[in-house]
Amino acid sequence: MSGLRGQVDEARGRLAQARRVAVLTGAGISAASGLPTFRGPGGVWEEFRPEELATPVAYARDPHRVWAWYAWRYRMACEASPNRAHELLVALERAVGDGFLLVTQNVDGLHRRAGSQRVVELHGTLHRARCEACGERFALPPPDRFVPPPHCPRCGSRARPDVVWFGELLPAAAYRVAHEAFQAAEVALVVGTSAVVEPAASLGRVARRAGAYLVEVNPEATPLTPLAHLSLRCGAVEGLELLLGTQPS
Ligand code: APR
């Protein structure tokens, strides 16, 4: 216990002093907001198969089914509220300033709603659609007025969810910004991701290889755990409270 306390104190000290901090989050950070994760018990991929819903082929085959699923998730995300873990990352961003970047794989929009500003949404967002013809991105109406599929306000063509599906490339500029932040980070914090979906999963490794102090928060071990200087085996709220909250460890 005293060993863990010492490690937490060291991590708190490094976070307090670092001028460049990069954070990667996954579905686990929104679990306390009532949104399901993808993998593991109760995860979305227990009930649905990714290739039936989250691929370009699935969308081409049955766009109405895919849109119904995204509309359901969009409603859930709108009805959820950011939790204390999202809020603690807002406070960290304010403390660090320009050297901070939050990279999320989540499409729920909860980081922005909590107040995070330096955010890269690597896998897109449930709150927007993208025109299949002209590429225009636009915000969806509120869930109770939204009837999928949406149509482009510019050219009238059908639009798809503005998310990155399996088999698609991440937006190059967003990934470059994320990679640079992890490469330059003094402290990298990885919260609530199974760290199995590339290339996001590699960001922690990139930071570690470049000399960052790597902290993981996850109730389960992940492929990143052996590389982490500190791995807190707990939920995001509890873990970030330990690392960033006002309570002494
Ligand atoms: N706090 C922190 N972590 C948690 C919590 C919690 N309360 N509950 C569960 N977790 C952890 C799980 O142990 C798991 O490692 O969150 C992780 C969630 O993993 P995934 O469901 O695989 O989510 P994520 O890593 O974000 O998935 C990456 O896969 O399907 C795609 O596009 C989807 O962006 C997603 C990507």
Side-chain angles (χ1 to χ4, degrees):
M1 194 57 204
S2 63
L4 179 61
R5 182 162 305 150
Q7 282 178 294
V8 170
D9 285 344
E10 171 163 11
R12 283 178 69 96
R14 285 178 182 262
L15 278 161
Q17 279 174 7
R19 295 170 61 183
R20 289 185 305 276
V21 176
V23 182
L24 174 68
T25 63
I29 197 166
S30 295
S33 297
L35 299 179
T37 60
F38 293 95
R39 294 168 188 81
V44 169
W45 297 145
E46 257 187 358
E47 197 178 340
F48 303 103
R49 294 186 340 155
E51 57 273 28
E52 283 173 12
L53 289 165
T55 65
V57 173
Y59 185 64
R61 194 187 298 135
D62 194 344
H64 290 279
R65 178 160 190 253
V66 171
W67 255 121
W69 189 62
Y70 278 94
W72 170 69
R73 291 178 59 203
Y74 171 53
R75 174 180 287 277
M76 269 201 304
C78 289
E79 287 171 356
S81 301
N83 65 56
R84 176 81 181 136
H86 297 103
E87 287 164 8
L88 284 162
L89 291 180
V90 177
L92 180 62
E93 175 179 351
R94 290 199 183 124
V96 177
D98 281 341
F100 178 92
L101 189 70
L102 170 56
V103 178
T104 188
Q105 298 166 91
N106 298 345
V107 292
D108 57 33
L110 291 183
H111 283 302
R112 287 192 193 280
R113 277 175 55 203
S116 288
Q117 293 184 349
R118 296 169 179 89
V119 190
V120 172
E121 292 175 319
L122 219 45
H123 293 171
T125 173
L126 294 170
H127 298 260
R128 267 195 328 251
R130 187 167 90 232
C131 178
E132 289 171 44
C134 74
E136 173 86 349
R137 292 182 154 88
F138 58 95
L140 295 180
D144 50 356
R145 287 199 279 115
F146 176 46
V147 182
H151 288 86
C152 177
R154 199 161 74 174
C155 76
S157 302
R158 193 180 66 187
R160 55 164 280 176
D162 192 17
V163 299
V164 178
W165 281 325
F166 288 102
E168 293 185 319
L169 293 177
L170 297 187
Y175 187 69
R176 196 171 47 247
V177 169
H179 191 276
E180 280 169 11
F182 276 80
Q183 183 99 47
E186 293 156 57
V187 181
L189 190 51
V190 178
V191 184
T193 174
S194 56
V196 294
V197 175
E198 294 294 352
S202 293
L203 290 171
R205 270 195 296 281
V206 166
R208 178 68 164 93
R209 224 178 286 133
Y213 185 84
L214 178 63
V215 182
E216 180 182 55
V217 179
N218 197 311
E220 307 285 339
T222 77
L224 211 55
T225 305
L227 295 180
H229 292 92
L230 171 62
S231 187
L232 289 176
R233 204 55 62 76
C234 60
V237 172
E238 188 188 349
L240 292 183
E241 196 71 68
L242 268 178
L243 292 168
L244 303 167
T246 47
Q247 298 293 324
S249 64

